[in-house]
């Protein structure tokens, strides 16, 4: 028979169709987690430039002034903030705090995330 | 005069080993009828091979759970007006995460077995029930009165749970909520059943179960409360109080 649960259906985690606020938070946490994991590997590769000498590393650092690379850095900061605050919300609800207000908690934390992301964006592009 | 809408009911069809496809049925409905009424109209007047589950028609049996426009609904209490509009299409599909037996009917066997594993209560004393908006003259302290458990065992929560989609052995929202209702203090064996990889810690707080629950169960809140019970029981064991 079909339609049974299966580990192969992990893609269903990312399907926003028919999901509600808690589901959106669940999806956001998975996307940001994957993004941060991808960044971690990228970071290790960049650090590896150090082993190839100061010139190679300095050349890469110069690349980080590129606006597109900066946008990538901002995405990393945004992912970290949203994932972290969403995680705090889950810690709260897991300890029975705000369980019946989880939607409001999510909205509240995402407003805080937006403010923080705008602050970092301003520092990165205008500071 | 009774208001009439013309809608297209798009029904998921799937027999034996065939792939899922959709059949469209155009019909005139009263928008205050329920989605189940439209499904039954297909069976009664258009296609006798349509297979679906239903029984009570008043949200007690929990048999008519389906996905309506992608969202889990108990179709006997979902007015057509609430999920579509005049001239629009209304899509009905079987619940997710249950094997499809035929068309809209799914096999709930594994789910019912999980409810048995946690010794889910069908009735409970009023003194142990969480009553929504109790009347002032409610006999709250009289244990001789029993009431039916809130959970209809409709399976909507299992269908909506993203974790249940990938973990066949996961107990799932309704059985975990039932375990919380029973309580580890009343049945210490529950600790071993829910404090495991496929138990209370598998929940990833998507809260979809509570969003679709048609009754007063609030499975997500109960799962969090069950975690508190588990931690309390384990701390009790650690300090020799169990």
């Amino acid at each position: 028979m079909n339609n049974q649960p299966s580990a192969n259906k992990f893609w269903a985690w990312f399907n926003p169709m028919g999901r509600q606020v808690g589901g959106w938070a669940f999806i956001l946490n998975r996307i940001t987690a994957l993004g941060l994991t991808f960044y971690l590997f990228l970071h290790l590769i960049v650090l590896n430039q150090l082993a190839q000498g100061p010139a190679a590393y300095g050349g890469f650092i110069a690349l980080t002034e590129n606006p597109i690379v900066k946008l990538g850095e901002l995405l990393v900061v945004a992912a970290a903030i949203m994932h972290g605050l969403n995680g705090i919300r889950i810690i709260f609800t897991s300890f029975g705090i705000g369980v019946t207000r989880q939607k409001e908690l999510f909205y509240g934390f995402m407003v805080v995330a937006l403010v923080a992301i705008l602050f970092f964006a301003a520092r990165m592009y205008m500071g | 005069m009774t208001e009439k809408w013309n809608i297209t009911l798009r029904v998921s069809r799937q027999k034996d080993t065939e792939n899922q496809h959709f059949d469209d049925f155009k019909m005139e409905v009263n928008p205050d009828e329920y989605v189940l009424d439209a499904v039954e109209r297909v069976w009664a007047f258009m296609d006798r091979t349509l297979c679906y589950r239903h029984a009570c028609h008043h949200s007690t049996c929990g048999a008519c759970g389906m996905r309506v426009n992608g969202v889990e609904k108990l179709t006997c209490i979902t007015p057509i007006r609430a999920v579509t509009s005049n001239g629009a299409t209304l899509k009905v599909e079987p619940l997710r995460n249950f094997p499809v037996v035929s068309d809209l009917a799914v096999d709930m066997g594994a789910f019912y077995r999980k409810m048995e594993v946690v010794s889910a209560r069908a009735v409970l004393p009023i003194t142990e029930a969480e009553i929504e908006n109790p009347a002032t003259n409610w006999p709250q302290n009289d244990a001789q009165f029993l009431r039916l458990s809130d959970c209809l065992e409709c399976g909507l929560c299992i269908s909506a749970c993203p974790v249940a989609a990938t973990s066949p052995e996961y107990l799932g929202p309704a059985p975990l909520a039932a375990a919380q209702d029973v309580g580890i203090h009343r049945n210490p064996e529950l600790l071993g059943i829910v404090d495991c990889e496929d138990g209370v810690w598998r929940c990833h707080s998507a809260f979809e179960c509570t969003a679709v629950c048609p009754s007063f169960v609030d499975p997500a809140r109960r799962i969090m409360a069950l975690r508190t019970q588990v931690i309390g029981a384990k701390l009790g064991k650690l300090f020799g109080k169990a």
Side-chain angles (χ1 to χ4, degrees):
Chain A
M1 284 192 283
N2 43 42
N3 207 34
Q4 294 101 323
S6 162
N8 296 330
K9 290 186 175 174
F10 70 90
W11 48 265
W13 291 349
F14 303 98
N15 183 358
M17 298 297 288
R19 295 291 178 208
Q20 302 181 50
V21 177
W24 280 93
F26 174 89
I27 293 169
L28 184 67
N29 238 23
R30 263 120 208 97
I31 291 172
T32 52
L34 286 173
L36 290 169
T37 306
F38 173 72
Y39 169 75
L40 176 65
F41 283 103
L42 205 62
H43 184 63
L44 292 173
I45 291 167
V46 169
L47 283 183
N48 189 46
Q49 300 278 324
L50 278 171
Q52 296 174 24
Y57 187 72
F60 180 82
I61 292 300
L63 187 67
T64 61
E65 293 303 315
N66 184 310
I68 294 172
V69 175
K70 271 193 172 181
L71 179 65
E73 288 178 342
L74 183 61
L75 283 176
V76 171
V77 171
I81 291 169
M82 287 190 290
H83 192 84
L85 289 174
N86 209 359
I88 291 170
R89 163 182 159 272
I90 291 170
I91 290 170
F92 279 171
T93 54
S94 293
F95 281 95
I97 301 166
V99 183
T100 56
R101 290 277 180 267
Q102 57 91 15
K103 290 180 195 172
E104 291 82 353
L105 266 179
F106 177 66
Y107 290 140
F109 275 128
M110 288 306 104
V111 168
V112 174
L114 183 64
V115 171
I117 292 164
L118 289 174
F119 171 77
F120 277 102
R123 289 291 298 266
M124 288 171 76
Y125 283 97
M126 294 185 287
Chain B
M1 201 175 90
T2 308
E3 187 179 1
K4 291 292 181 189
W5 282 7
N6 289 299
I7 64 164
T8 301
L9 192 70
R10 181 163 291 166
V11 183
S12 172
R13 308 302 299 269
Q14 197 169 17
K15 304 286 189 190
D16 299 323
T17 56
E18 70 182 28
N19 290 328
Q20 182 191 33
H21 63 280
F22 290 88
D23 285 346
D24 286 355
F25 300 93
K26 293 185 184 304
M27 64 178 74
E28 189 180 72
V29 296
N30 175 341
D32 293 320
E33 287 181 289
Y34 299 100
V35 174
L36 181 60
D37 296 325
V39 173
E40 292 199 300
R41 195 164 298 163
V42 171
W43 177 81
F45 302 114
M46 301 176 194
D47 186 346
R48 298 290 276 188
T49 68
L50 178 64
C51 191
Y52 59 101
R53 298 168 69 239
H54 76 101
C56 76
H57 282 255
H58 57 256
S59 76
T60 297
C61 71
C64 65
M66 299 172 202
R67 273 193 299 150
V68 179
N69 287 342
V71 180
E72 285 73 10
K73 300 281 185 189
L74 207 55
T75 53
C76 69
I77 56 168
T78 303
I80 291 171
R81 185 189 297 280
V83 286
T84 191
S85 56
N86 191 10
T89 297
L90 180 58
K91 188 161 86 171
V92 287
E93 298 169 89
L95 294 180
R96 289 178 275 203
N97 308 331
F98 294 98
V100 173
V101 176
S102 179
D103 298 332
L104 301 169
V106 295
D107 180 358
M108 308 278 280
F111 167 55
Y112 294 148
R113 281 192 291 279
K114 287 174 183 174
M115 293 297 277
E116 284 181 13
V117 163
V118 298
S119 309
R121 300 193 288 186
V123 293
L124 62 159
I126 272 182
T127 50
E128 295 172 15
E130 294 179 19
I131 311 290
E132 186 182 27
N133 303 320
T136 50
N137 60 348
W138 196 260
Q140 291 175 57
N141 299 316
D142 199 336
Q144 68 169 315
F145 290 100
L146 301 176
R147 76 187 299 267
L148 285 169
S149 168
D150 284 313
C151 184
L152 311 176
E153 301 186 9
C154 60
L156 299 196
C157 56
I158 304 284
S159 175
C161 175
V163 176
T166 50
S167 303
E169 302 305 320
Y170 174 46
L171 277 172
L176 289 171
Q180 186 272 347
D181 169 59
V182 173
I184 292 171
H185 61 289
R186 287 196 199 93
N187 182 357
E189 284 183 13
L190 278 177
L191 182 60
I193 295 168
V194 302
D195 180 30
C196 63
E197 183 183 353
D198 294 308
V200 73
W201 307 111
R202 177 69 84 182
C203 169
H204 283 246
S205 307
F207 291 92
E208 289 287 340
C209 50
T210 287
V212 300
C213 179
S215 191
F216 181 57
V217 181
D218 195 350
R221 177 182 60 82
R222 288 182 179 273
I223 290 171
M224 303 311 160
L226 183 60
R227 286 178 174 172
T228 307
Q229 285 187 21
V230 168
I231 291 170
K234 294 189 86 166
L235 284 174
K237 276 189 173 181
L238 191 66
F239 293 104
K241 291 180 182 174

